[in-house]
Amino acid sequence: MGKVKWAIAGRNAARLEEVKQELIRINPSCKDTPVLIGDIKDEASIGRILQQAQVVVSTAGPFAAYGDVIVDQALAQGTHYCDITGGAPSGTDRPAPFKPVYVKEGGTWTMPFFMSPVNSQIAHYSDALTSHSYGKDFHVLEVMALGSGWSGYLKAWLGTGLMGIAAALVFVKMLRPIADRILPVPGQGPSMKLQRELGHWEHNLVAVTEGPNPKIFKGKVEDLATGLRCAEANRLCAAMVGCQQGHLGWQAEGIATQDAKRDPGYWGTSRMVLEAGLCLVEDAEKLKEAGYAAGGVLTPATAMGTVLITRLQAAGIRFEVTERG
């Protein structure tokens, strides 16, 4: 099991055992992984689990329904808590128009990115926690770039329409029965084969500094398994990758590129939250020496910043500034 002792936990012993057996098939050393049973309806059972841990990584959503008990017990037991939710959109930034938009400078058609409101909130929360070090006129906007010409135009309209239908299925109560029949149930997801062969993403970032003579910095987050572009951000500051102006010398050039050969929704997300949990435990002294916040409701940028970036780089995630203003 290596130098980190870890366990899997949940409410269904049989399902957890299935997960463990799958892990054993991937890595036989997982046969010694403990299985812990707890249910949010029994708060004491959650407390008993967290008493045994330095950090808990929570991945069971929706967090608004299932997360509070785990957070409460993490506080009660003095256990670090990580999850993959960004909370409700705060409305700090004006969202991208809910329609295809042609970006002349990049020569590409774009459509709204469904996670943009949440990501914007996280970036603004990081900014607030660091005394607005990202600048007085800090804004975040994310869109999906789908190419040029008629192909890009059609994909942008089709993607926007499908996203609207998906949102209606999720948020319109009378359509929930339809959603329940066609959407995956908790615990379902794409196979490892699909994740490895079809999963891909590329994230282009642009940061524009403040002042009378603004400078532009560019970076890229790229899946080397494919050359397909699937995300592009305008006016996106370094906060999105945990780098803040004036902190640890990164200034306004902390934009990056990631080389991940799995899909973003499963492999990428799980890898990042795993490294965040490990960072809180294994790199506690480094975090203290670097002056990051030691407690509270924090973001990756304010809790771990460049220490986490170093871990992600070691895990195969490459950060690179591609153009400095």
Side-chain angles (χ1 to χ4, degrees):
M1 291 177 61
K3 62 181 180 178
V4 176
K5 186 175 181 180
W6 63 284
I8 55 176
R11 70 180 187 276
N12 189 314
R15 292 290 298 275
L16 289 172
E17 188 58 36
E18 290 177 9
V19 172
K20 181 174 178 178
Q21 292 304 315
E22 180 64 24
L23 292 173
I24 292 172
R25 282 192 286 272
I26 297 171
N27 184 348
S29 67
C30 290
K31 63 181 177 61
D32 298 321
T33 302
V35 175
L36 307 177
I37 307 301
D39 193 320
I40 60 170
K41 296 178 181 178
D42 178 6
E43 193 164 343
S45 69
I46 301 298
R48 288 191 292 271
I49 291 174
L50 299 193
Q51 284 176 350
Q52 306 175 58
Q54 290 180 268
V55 62
V56 57
V57 176
S58 178
T59 58
F63 294 95
Y66 303 133
D68 287 352
V69 171
I70 302 176
V71 172
D72 290 344
Q73 281 300 311
L75 290 169
Q77 308 302 331
T79 303
H80 290 302
Y81 172 92
C82 289
D83 67 24
I84 54 175
T85 180
S90 63
T92 305
D93 274 312
R94 185 181 66 182
F98 194 78
K99 63 180 181 179
V101 174
Y102 183 72
V103 180
K104 184 176 181 180
E105 182 179 350
T108 183
W109 281 95
T110 69
M111 61 170 280
F113 180 50
F114 71 98
M115 286 296 293
S116 180
V118 173
N119 292 341
S120 172
Q121 181 189 19
I122 296 170
H124 279 282
Y125 187 45
S126 297
D127 179 41
L129 289 173
T130 56
S131 302
H132 299 287
S133 62
Y134 299 164
K136 296 179 180 179
D137 190 32
F138 175 61
H139 297 287
V140 178
L141 175 66
E142 287 181 285
V143 295
M144 297 180 68
L146 298 171
S148 60
W150 280 104
S151 173
Y153 174 80
L154 292 174
K155 284 189 288 186
W157 274 108
L158 179 61
T160 302
L162 290 175
M163 190 168 73
I165 293 171
L169 290 173
V170 172
F171 295 111
V172 179
K173 189 174 182 179
M174 63 183 297
L175 297 178
R176 292 281 177 83
I178 300 175
D180 292 340
R181 288 198 297 269
I182 64 176
L183 296 179
V185 300
Q188 285 186 332
S191 67
M192 291 297 292
K193 178 180 174 65
L194 284 175
Q195 291 185 51
R196 288 172 174 163
E197 294 184 2
L198 298 180
H200 59 265
W201 61 284
E202 178 182 297
H203 203 167
N204 294 282
L205 304 98
V206 179
V208 181
T209 65
E210 292 184 322
N213 299 303
K215 295 181 179 180
I216 298 177
F217 296 85
K218 296 182 180 181
K220 189 194 298 184
V221 184
E222 182 181 19
D223 181 352
L224 292 187
T226 176
L228 178 68
R229 294 176 62 189
C230 65
E232 183 168 342
N234 287 317
R235 293 179 59 81
L236 180 58
C237 272
M240 298 302 292
V241 290
C243 314
Q244 55 200 67
Q245 295 179 20
H247 190 62
L248 299 179
W250 280 73
Q251 301 302 323
E253 56 188 56
I255 303 300
T257 172
Q258 167 170 0
D259 302 331
K261 298 183 179 179
R262 303 292 188 272
D263 82 306
Y266 284 83
W267 188 90
T269 300
S270 61
R271 185 79 227 186
M272 291 177 189
V273 73
L274 169 63
E275 292 297 338
L278 291 172
C279 185
L280 290 171
V281 174
E282 294 191 313
D283 297 329
E285 287 301 315
K286 293 180 182 178
L287 295 173
K288 184 178 180 180
E289 292 172 2
Y292 289 106
V297 181
L298 306 173
T299 64
T302 55
M304 295 166 280
T306 53
V307 178
L308 176 58
I309 287 177
T310 299
R311 289 198 70 96
L312 293 174
Q313 288 173 325
I317 298 173
R318 180 167 59 93
F319 290 82
E320 180 187 16
V321 178
T322 59
E323 181 179 327
R324 291 177 170 84

